[in-house]
Amino acid sequence: MEGKRNDHFFFASESVGEGHPDKLCDQISDAILDAALEIDPNAKFGLETATKTGMVVLLGEIRMKEREKVDLEQIARRVCKEVGYTSADIGLDCDQMQVIINVPDQSEEIAQAVHVDKSEDYGAGDQGIMFGYACDDDPVTLHPLTHLYCNLMCEKMAELRKSGEIAWLRPDCKSQITMEYKKVGNNFEPVRVHNVLISTQHDADAENIQETIKEKVIHAIIPEKYLIDTTYFINPSGSFVSGGPEADAGLTGRKIIVDTYGGWAPHGGGAFSGKDASKVDRSAAYYSRFAAKSIVHAGLAKRCLIQVSYSIGIAKPLSIHVDSYGTVKEGLNDDDLARIIDENFDFRPSNIIKELDLKRPIFRKTAAFGHFGRNEPEFTWESPKELNL
């Protein structure tokens, strides 16, 4: 790109708001999961949500006690209302929409393989690979800045919309940041924000959209020290009145890079939302983040990537891989990091659930604005562990 020095590079991340159709589906799935966990903390759960004009569809499997107490339809309507879809003109009418449900009990074969008649060593809910990542971009969250700021801008737009401060905002929105980084040895440091892109749904009579978003969203979130020669793209397509499920279909699990690290780390492919913690797609990804963040927090590396792999029905991972990208503390190597992780972290699903307290109904909150980089009490995987070295 023009003006880029040889020892500099650009990297972009994106996020979407709670009213994006895919994120709406994630929140419905996780709200129903939370309702199930409130009744039965041992509920086994796999629920997909889809949405399009005038409808929400629930598909999946549930195994729990007193299942009749979970009103799937009413939870779906409540989430749509809370997000802001209260009229077909906005994108979906929570009261008038059709709700289609096909959610039988969990397969008996899966139950027998994973958790029935098993205690501490019950197996992983499926095979798969999961990743965890942390870096020292931001000393508080240990999360990549490009992704952190994208999530925070989407969250800020929801806050401004719901408070009425920007009354013309509607629920559907996206953000994207390109940041310039400087290479420093095997690591790199953020220099400035090269450009910011925000597309947000709005009322038909909205005025001063670009000026308002720039002042109340972008400058409220991104520190001025990074806004140097920054280019702004705000609603570059022009009018964005029609949004939400009216404009685009939504489906649980289609925003897995938004959910994780904004492209800075690989992703195993398995989505998070709508899955209880026996599904290692979710719980082992959380635990891998927990381990990677603990490594960076302890000053053992400036960046850390962890990969784990599992088989259905087997408790211990089939493999654990650690990569510091050459940023490991002087005197150590990645093999040392792998040893430290092995001595401090137990990746069996039963331990992950116990150590991170994942039988709580806390998952709806994770389903918008990122599962990582948020130092909130529910997000136990974001509190680094003191390591025995």
Side-chain angles (χ1 to χ4, degrees):
M1 297 177 69
E2 186 177 352
K4 181 178 76 68
R5 292 167 44 180
N6 289 336
D7 59 344
H8 288 218
F9 67 92
F10 295 107
F11 196 93
S13 296
E14 70 161 345
S15 187
V16 299
E18 63 177 3
H20 185 283
D22 294 334
K23 273 287 135 209
L24 178 66
C25 291
D26 286 344
Q27 291 169 90
I28 293 171
S29 291
D30 274 343
I32 296 172
L33 170 59
D34 283 352
L37 292 173
E38 286 179 355
I39 296 167
D40 180 3
N42 294 310
K44 298 298 180 285
F45 202 93
L47 184 70
E48 313 295 335
T49 302
T51 185
K52 184 49 187 167
T53 307
M55 70 165 55
V56 164
V57 182
L58 307 177
L59 302 165
E61 306 81 36
I62 299 176
R63 186 185 183 95
M64 64 175 293
K65 299 174 183 177
E66 301 181 282
R67 177 178 165 169
E68 69 279 2
K69 292 184 178 180
V70 181
D71 191 332
L72 279 65
E73 178 178 341
Q74 288 307 311
I75 295 170
R77 294 188 187 279
R78 172 173 57 81
V79 171
C80 291
K81 181 177 182 179
E82 291 171 354
V83 168
Y85 286 117
T86 56
S87 164
D89 291 338
I90 296 175
L92 189 67
D93 187 326
C94 59
D95 293 324
Q96 300 299 318
M97 68 185 188
Q98 184 181 13
V99 180
I100 301 171
I101 301 173
N102 188 352
V103 185
D105 291 339
Q106 182 192 52
S107 160
E108 188 63 30
E109 289 178 318
I110 293 176
Q112 291 291 338
V114 175
H115 57 85
V116 171
D117 297 327
K118 299 183 181 181
S119 56
E120 288 302 304
D121 266 345
Y122 59 77
D126 200 353
Q127 73 174 53
I129 56 174
M130 300 87 210
F131 292 89
Y133 178 78
C135 65
D136 65 355
D137 270 18
D138 175 56
V140 176
T141 62
L142 301 182
H143 195 74
L145 280 184
T146 51
H147 191 235
L148 178 66
Y149 292 152
C150 284
N151 282 336
L152 290 173
M153 288 194 296
C154 286
E155 189 172 14
K156 186 67 174 178
M157 283 187 280
E159 173 191 320
L160 293 167
R161 170 172 55 87
K162 290 179 175 179
S163 70
E165 186 171 345
I166 305 182
W168 46 257
L169 280 172
R170 290 183 173 183
D172 199 355
C173 66
K174 286 185 170 185
S175 63
Q176 184 172 293
I177 287 175
T178 302
M179 198 157 211
E180 182 177 351
Y181 285 84
K182 175 177 66 174
K183 297 178 184 177
V184 181
N186 291 323
N187 201 28
F188 40 80
E189 297 175 353
V191 176
R192 67 182 186 94
V193 172
H194 182 62
N195 55 54
V196 182
L197 166 62
I198 287 181
S199 294
T200 182
Q201 187 187 10
H202 56 83
D203 289 348
D205 58 356
E207 297 179 348
N208 301 317
I209 293 175
Q210 296 194 6
E211 296 84 353
T212 303
I213 293 298
K214 186 175 179 180
E215 174 191 349
K216 294 185 178 293
V217 177
I218 298 172
H219 285 269
I221 295 300
I222 302 175
E224 291 297 322
K225 67 178 181 178
Y226 292 129
L227 296 174
I228 303 169
D229 297 327
T230 303
T231 305
Y232 300 90
F233 301 94
I234 300 171
N235 279 21
S237 66
S239 179
F240 186 0
V241 174
S242 176
E246 176 71 28
D248 291 291
L251 183 65
T252 300
R254 285 205 302 202
K255 288 293 174 283
I256 55 178
I257 301 303
V258 166
D259 284 340
T260 54
Y261 306 102
W264 283 99
H267 187 82
F272 298 156
S273 291
K275 297 177 181 178
D276 73 274
S278 73
K279 313 298 190 293
V280 285
D281 278 341
R282 183 171 217 160
S283 56
Y286 287 5
Y287 202 66
S288 297
R289 161 66 173 173
F290 180 48
K293 188 170 183 178
S294 298
I295 290 290
V296 175
H297 179 261
L300 301 178
K302 293 182 178 298
R303 289 195 290 153
C304 183
L305 176 74
I306 295 173
Q307 185 209 52
V308 294
S309 67
Y310 289 88
S311 165
I312 187 170
I314 298 176
K316 292 185 178 181
L318 304 185
S319 66
I320 300 177
H321 169 71
V322 183
D323 189 351
S324 71
Y325 302 93
T327 69
V328 65
K329 182 180 179 181
E330 186 175 355
L332 299 176
N333 57 40
D334 287 355
D335 289 339
D336 294 316
L337 296 184
R339 173 185 54 79
I340 291 167
I341 288 169
D342 183 61
E343 293 174 353
N344 286 270
F345 297 92
D346 179 354
F347 279 81
R348 291 176 303 152
S350 59
N351 178 73
I352 293 173
I353 292 168
K354 181 179 180 180
E355 191 171 351
L356 298 183
D357 197 10
L358 295 180
K359 291 185 178 182
R360 297 166 298 143
I362 49 91
F363 295 105
R364 161 81 190 276
K365 192 171 185 178
T366 70
F369 316 124
H371 294 247
F372 308 126
R374 301 169 65 181
N375 293 340
E376 302 183 39
E378 298 92 340
F379 292 56
T380 49
W381 52 93
E382 290 296 313
S383 297
K385 186 176 187 177
E386 293 301 320
L387 303 176
N388 294 319
L389 304 178

